[in-house]
Amino acid sequence: MDFAVCLLSAPAGYGKTTLVCDWLAQANTSFAWLTLDEGDNESHRFLSYLAAAIGNALPKSAERFAAPLPVARRAAVEAYLAALINKVAESQEHLTLVLNNGEAITNGLCHGALEYLIEYAPDNFHTLLLTRADPPLPFSRWRARGQLLELRAADLRFSRDEIRDLIAETTRQALTDEELNALDQRTQGRAASLRLLTRSLETAPNKQHFFKALEDSRNRTMDFLVDEVLKQLPAETQAFLYRTSILPQFSGDLCQALTGNPHSESILRDLERHNLFISRLDHDSRWYRFHPLFAKCLQQRLREQTDIDIADLHRRASDWHAADGNADAALNHAFEAKDFDRAARIMEAHAILWIDQGEYQTFTHWFEQLPREQLTAYPRLSAFYLCGLLDSRNLERFEAFAALQAQLETLPEVQHLIQAMRAVAALVRGDDQTALTLTNQSIPTFQVNPPQTVDEFFAYSLHLFVRMGIYYQADNVLAAEQAAAAAIPVFLQAGLAGYALDALGVRASNKMRLGNLRQAEDILEQALLLLRRSGTGSGMPSHPIAVRIYGPLSRLYYEQNRLADSIAMAQKAIESSQSGGYQWGWRVAEVYATLGLAYLASNEVAFAFDTLEKIRQIENLLAGYPSLHTRTRRDALCQKMRLLLALAPFDETLYSRVEEWRNKNQARGEKGGEAESALWARYLILQGKVAEAESVLHPLIHTAGAERRLGDLLEYLTLAADEGALRRALEMAEPQGFLRVFIDGGERVRAALEKIHLPYARKILAAFPTLPGAQKRKAATPWLNLHEREILRLLDAGYSNQQIADALHLSVNTVKWYARRIYAALGAKNRREALTKAKEWEWV
């Protein structure tokens, strides 16, 4: 297919699906088929299904694509799609994405995602969109570019001559001009109507009788044709079709549960063999679906059957899906039956799993469909919902349920959960003292009276999680490590693999800060075993928290100078994180920073610069959550700045970005921690201000040494780079295998190590790059992020500052601020100079 996108837009019954299936059977291309429905309007679900379909369609894909970050923000969607597009491009497989029932999608974010996917699709990727109505996509733009192929009802309908040929071929009957006109007028050339018509005409007593009945049907042509087909079927088959018409898709087992008919599987095969508007979801599937028009007619007949309880059919379908482990389908049918008690019970059974796996949007979607009166009828479910809101850091939504919280606090059956929830709420608000007080009140109670029920285990786990978070926020590494070690057995006993993985990641990170790489590696090996046990058959982890395992592994391998392993683990962390809630975004930024350093150490400078853009996208994504994981945010930004400094020899304007970051923090009155101070010392050293850097480093060395944080101490001693500090650092580093902390010190550390005649010093020197220092590119390309490049493009197009502000929804002052940054990066004094230099670099 030579077009980026092919649009098949026509009402139901025009043969869109059949045409595409026939084309795919002949085309030399892999294809991903995704049939959409109204439930796919939630952006996370839409992207998840999209990624799964594309991943499964690529023969060379080693593993499925990770699910996306469930955040309803365009920046998050585009960041995810960019990674997905890159994967498709790297595969070099020619792939066609078929999106069926495109009219089912009405969510603007989903439309934006589809537009982005088509707009930036690589040459080996094409989209086929089958829809009954045009979605709000920029078809005129693609049409003008020659990227769009369109087929509409007029193109798909059977002509009069084609109708004549079809009837003659299938029924061996010749039509008069009058009869042909009648068929053309009644069917409008629809393939579905003609299929039914030919079957009815074949079995009619005579042609005249058929056309007389068709005339009497007036405007109910499709209903008439369906009735003509149905009356030829046995009563058993008709009853089967009516009852199963409520199912969007069905298998023999599901149909048997609905109808009680033990021959359901053979009935489905017979219907398929006789081409009665039933088709498999894919070639090897045991699952089927009806043609939409046929299903609609059947559902109308079902409503006319007074002896059939439709709500009971939905309840049976709900029970079957619940037993099969498909909570979404079970809940869909429960709500169709208006059986809110059944829906609440299903949600209650899955609530802890959803929370543990980070499926907060799934939980919210279903819970908020319950009538308000059901909330107090199911206090346990309501308590889980509130806990889920807190765990996803949705504090605003949590506080909107203040009245519900007050009611739940009075109920003994959820008392443990509510107490744990109050501690989590305090932690999320940043009130660590209150959170610690509440947790210290509850944990001893559980230690004296060990938890017995699932709810008690969950509440106890939440308290342990809060304690671990408090120590982490306070930078109390040893206490956080001890809290995590104590929490892991409880998490595992409670069946909370996600929480256990989080705690294992915390332990490993803390072990590295304490200077024990060996123990950190052992802990991460244990975590990988747990991850594999709790993963899916394809090897992808089912827990979004996997970023907390792969991320530390990437840092560990980087420190050991195992650069290829570090890059591989960072990529796994990034992919796995995208199935988690937005709270893991800053963790992903840290991973990108490690990935950038590993790329740079591998002489992949362009890739290292790319990671900066990824971090910027995460910053944009999380800009609406300034208090979210404040400590994690600070750590991530410090790691970003460290990457900037490492890249600064290739683009000296990056030094100004570090200065800008420090000035902003000081202007906001933010109290910088050790990480910020160490970063600033690194900057001062690169600027040649060694004495000033030493005054920053001395208190850090003293504090880290006093608290036995040997990993942190190693970094500070190496930055100091005097002989005494390095001898002390070598003594601590050798048993654990630290390498990069020395190599990243550059020429100052190399020169100092050459004066120390110790075996481990020689081993480190052998690992240094062959050529001294970081080599500058012959013509260093300035680094501009995507936002700055877009503004540069608009400047080149002659836009004024006000027009740029309007186009990008920014203030004029913000545009001017960006322009100054662009000029500085390009070494230009004004717009004209900036555009001249931008053309040299082929930015515009």
Side-chain angles (χ1 to χ4, degrees):
M1 189 167 74
D2 296 329
F3 299 89
V5 58
C6 178
L7 173 68
L8 278 73
S9 181
Y14 274 93
K16 300 184 293 294
T17 304
T18 302
L19 175 63
V20 172
C21 287
D22 289 345
W23 177 77
L24 289 173
Q26 302 173 42
N28 183 26
T29 182
S30 299
F31 66 92
W33 188 292
L34 181 57
T35 297
L36 302 164
D37 58 42
E38 292 179 0
D40 299 330
N41 270 297
E42 195 273 308
S43 60
H44 177 243
R45 182 183 301 235
F46 175 75
L47 290 176
S48 297
Y49 291 169
L50 189 70
I54 292 174
N56 291 335
L58 293 177
K60 294 182 181 178
S61 180
E63 56 186 8
R64 293 184 306 146
F65 297 125
L69 217 65
V71 184
R73 293 171 64 90
R74 189 179 181 108
V77 171
E78 292 183 356
Y80 177 72
L81 287 172
L84 187 64
I85 288 167
N86 289 339
K87 287 280 187 180
V88 174
E90 289 167 10
S91 75
Q92 299 183 343
E93 296 284 344
H94 286 281
L95 177 66
T96 299
L97 170 66
V98 182
L99 292 174
N100 196 12
N101 293 352
E103 73 284 349
I105 298 301
T106 57
N107 183 334
L109 199 60
C110 296
H111 288 146
L114 188 53
E115 177 183 348
Y116 187 93
L117 184 66
I118 294 170
E119 189 73 20
Y120 296 100
D123 292 339
N124 61 321
F125 183 80
H126 308 279
T127 301
L128 265 170
L129 180 60
L130 285 64
T131 180
R132 300 178 198 174
D134 287 11
L137 294 172
F139 293 116
S140 58
R141 183 202 306 162
W142 297 330
R143 191 180 296 117
R145 293 176 182 169
Q147 296 176 310
L148 174 67
L149 174 65
E150 297 173 84
L151 293 174
R152 298 187 177 276
D155 304 301
L156 298 172
R157 66 165 292 165
F158 277 64
S159 68
R160 285 164 49 87
D161 289 342
E162 288 169 337
I163 294 173
R164 188 198 306 275
D165 293 344
L166 176 67
I167 297 300
E169 182 180 343
T170 56
T171 69
R172 308 299 180 193
Q173 299 190 50
L175 298 178
T176 67
D177 287 342
E178 184 180 353
E179 291 167 343
L180 185 60
N181 286 338
L183 293 185
D184 186 37
Q185 182 181 359
R186 288 305 185 90
T187 65
Q188 296 294 306
R190 292 188 186 209
S193 299
L194 289 168
R195 268 177 62 190
L196 284 171
L197 184 146
T198 55
R199 184 179 179 89
S200 301
L201 190 55
E202 276 184 298
T203 57
N206 57 65
K207 193 169 62 167
Q208 291 72 25
H209 177 273
F210 172 82
F211 277 99
K212 177 65 170 63
L214 180 63
E215 175 65 26
D216 292 342
S217 70
R218 300 185 184 276
N219 295 324
R220 298 178 62 250
T221 304
M222 193 65 187
D223 288 341
F224 162 74
L225 293 173
V226 169
D227 286 339
E228 286 292 300
V229 170
L230 288 175
K231 70 183 183 183
Q232 300 165 26
L233 300 175
E236 178 191 37
T237 304
Q238 291 185 42
F240 179 91
L241 289 171
Y242 294 148
R243 286 172 167 81
T244 55
S245 67
I246 69 162
L247 301 170
Q249 54 193 45
F250 42 87
S251 65
D253 291 342
L254 175 54
C255 291
Q256 182 171 334
L258 231 68
T259 65
N261 191 324
H263 308 298
S264 294
E265 190 72 48
S266 61
I267 291 174
L268 291 176
R269 286 198 296 269
D270 286 344
L271 291 170
E272 182 183 25
R273 187 166 54 251
H274 289 97
N275 205 19
L276 270 175
F277 291 85
I278 180 177
S279 58
R280 293 180 187 263
L281 294 187
D282 58 56
H283 181 69
D284 298 319
S285 178
R286 293 174 51 249
W287 287 82
Y288 300 82
R289 62 187 289 268
F290 288 123
H291 187 284
L293 284 178
F294 193 54
K296 184 178 179 181
C297 291
L298 288 176
Q299 289 161 9
Q300 178 59 40
R301 303 302 177 280
L302 174 63
R303 288 190 287 271
E304 295 166 1
Q305 309 299 311
T306 57
D307 60 327
I308 298 178
D309 185 346
I310 298 177
D312 183 61
L313 293 175
H314 281 295
R315 285 192 289 270
R316 292 186 186 191
S318 179
D319 289 344
W320 188 90
H321 281 298
D324 195 48
N326 188 338
D328 279 348
L331 284 165
N332 264 320
H333 285 290
F335 279 109
E336 285 288 340
K338 300 291 190 289
D339 192 336
F340 301 119
D341 288 332
R342 184 181 302 267
R345 290 195 299 272
I346 295 168
M347 280 187 270
E348 201 169 67
H350 287 81
I352 292 179
L353 183 64
W354 281 330
I355 293 171
D356 186 50
Q357 295 191 352
E359 295 288 341
Y360 308 118
Q361 282 199 346
T362 300
F363 195 1
T364 299
H365 167 73
W366 290 119
F367 182 88
E368 294 183 359
Q369 290 189 46
L370 287 173
R372 281 302 177 101
E373 58 269 20
Q374 295 291 124
L375 304 187
T376 50
Y378 286 88
R380 181 170 177 263
L381 177 61
S382 297
F384 283 141
Y385 172 68
L386 293 171
C387 287
L389 289 177
L390 287 172
D391 214 18
S392 66
R393 303 313 189 250
N394 194 338
L395 193 59
E396 181 180 340
R397 190 73 182 135
F398 171 79
E399 290 174 344
F401 282 90
L404 178 61
Q405 295 175 48
Q407 283 180 288
L408 294 177
E409 284 177 344
T410 66
L411 304 176
E413 62 266 37
V414 292
Q415 194 172 69
H416 286 303
L417 288 173
I418 298 303
Q419 288 173 346
M421 185 180 68
R422 288 174 59 208
V424 175
L427 178 67
V428 173
R429 291 191 186 100
D431 186 356
D432 290 357
Q433 188 55 54
T434 300
L436 187 60
T437 299
L438 291 169
T439 290
N440 286 343
Q441 288 172 355
S442 297
I443 287 178
T445 302
F446 282 115
Q447 291 170 338
V448 173
N449 301 302
Q452 302 297 319
T453 66
V454 171
D455 291 4
E456 288 176 349
F457 265 113
F458 184 64
Y460 187 23
S461 298
L462 286 177
H463 282 298
L464 293 172
F465 189 79
V466 167
R467 175 181 279 181
M468 194 170 66
I470 290 167
Y471 291 137
Y472 167 75
Q473 294 277 68
D475 212 16
N476 192 336
V477 179
L478 190 57
E481 138 69 12
Q482 292 169 344
I488 290 167
V490 179
F491 293 154
L492 292 174
Q493 194 173 359
L496 298 171
Y499 281 87
L501 287 167
D502 189 8
L504 285 164
V506 169
R507 283 202 72 196
S509 296
N510 288 336
K511 287 293 185 184
M512 283 188 267
R513 290 192 65 187
L514 292 169
N516 200 323
L517 294 188
R518 308 296 185 200
Q519 288 185 11
E521 192 165 14
D522 290 344
I523 290 167
L524 290 170
E525 286 296 329
Q526 296 171 29
L528 288 174
L529 285 174
L530 176 60
L531 191 59
R532 282 192 282 271
R533 288 183 195 137
S534 58
T536 64
S538 66
M540 279 300 295
S542 60
H543 292 289
I545 202 76
V547 67
R548 295 299 302 273
I549 306 306
Y550 292 133
L553 259 178
S554 178
R555 292 200 305 277
L556 175 75
Y557 291 154
Y558 178 76
E559 185 52 51
Q560 294 171 336
N561 209 31
R562 295 165 56 181
L563 299 178
D565 290 335
S566 176
I567 291 169
M569 287 300 105
Q571 290 169 338
K572 276 184 172 290
I574 291 161
E575 291 170 3
S576 67
S577 72
Q578 295 182 13
S579 64
Y582 60 74
Q583 68 269 32
W584 307 119
W586 289 118
R587 289 293 177 200
V588 184
E590 280 193 283
V591 173
Y592 271 120
T594 302
L595 178 61
L597 290 170
Y599 275 140
L600 185 59
S602 304
N603 283 323
E604 298 283 0
V605 180
F607 287 159
F609 272 91
D610 285 344
T611 62
L612 283 180
E613 180 56 39
K614 299 296 185 184
I615 297 172
R616 189 199 69 82
Q617 290 171 2
I618 292 171
E619 289 180 86
N620 281 351
L621 163 64
L622 298 176
Y625 309 98
S627 62
L628 182 64
H629 280 259
T630 304
R631 173 57 198 273
T632 312
R633 169 180 167 271
R634 283 172 44 213
D635 287 350
L637 292 179
C638 282
Q639 291 302 314
K640 173 192 172 183
M641 293 303 147
R642 179 174 174 182
L643 177 59
L644 281 171
L645 287 177
L647 287 168
F650 299 90
D651 179 1
E652 294 185 358
T653 65
L654 294 181
Y655 287 121
S656 65
R657 308 246 172 171
V658 179
E659 293 171 3
E660 182 182 299
W661 165 75
R662 178 166 172 89
N663 292 337
K664 268 187 184 177
N665 287 347
Q666 290 181 333
R668 284 196 294 255
E670 289 189 6
K671 184 181 178 182
E674 278 192 22
E676 288 90 342
S677 297
L679 191 283
W680 188 243
R682 194 179 293 273
Y683 169 83
L684 292 171
I685 290 167
L686 290 172
Q687 294 295 307
K689 301 176 181 179
V690 177
E692 194 175 337
E694 287 175 349
S695 67
V696 175
L697 286 171
H698 287 158
L700 300 183
I701 291 171
H702 173 75
T703 303
E707 295 178 1
R708 302 294 297 164
R709 286 186 281 109
L710 303 187
D712 292 342
L713 179 59
L714 264 176
E715 179 186 356
Y716 308 150
L717 290 172
T718 308
L719 283 172
D722 62 68
E723 184 176 339
L726 284 179
R727 284 185 178 275
R728 186 179 172 191
L730 287 167
E731 185 180 344
M732 292 186 293
E734 184 174 7
Q736 299 298 323
F738 283 90
L739 285 173
R740 286 302 317 183
V741 69
F742 296 96
I743 299 169
D744 289 348
E747 283 309 293
R748 287 180 72 247
V749 174
R750 184 204 291 264
L753 286 175
E754 286 175 345
K755 299 174 184 177
I756 301 175
H757 303 292
L758 292 173
Y760 199 62
R762 289 196 294 274
K763 179 178 179 179
I764 294 170
L765 285 168
F768 267 79
T770 304
L771 296 174
Q775 300 178 73
K776 291 188 179 182
R777 288 175 284 185
K778 290 181 181 178
T781 303
W783 179 72
L784 298 179
N785 63 44
L786 288 180
H787 212 64
E788 291 163 347
R789 292 183 208 176
E790 178 66 11
I791 289 175
L792 188 61
R793 184 184 67 79
L794 295 175
L795 288 170
D796 183 54
Y799 279 49
S800 68
N801 287 341
Q802 184 62 61
Q803 289 172 323
I804 294 173
D806 293 340
L808 301 181
H809 308 290
L810 301 171
S811 71
V812 174
N813 285 336
T814 300
V815 172
K816 290 178 179 177
W817 178 76
Y818 270 118
R820 286 195 296 271
R821 285 178 57 148
I822 293 168
Y823 299 164
L826 294 172
K829 297 177 182 177
N830 52 44
R831 178 186 290 211
R832 187 179 65 257
E833 284 188 21
L835 291 175
T836 300
K837 290 179 178 290
K839 286 181 173 65
E840 293 175 7
W841 297 114
E842 297 182 352
W843 287 116
V844 294

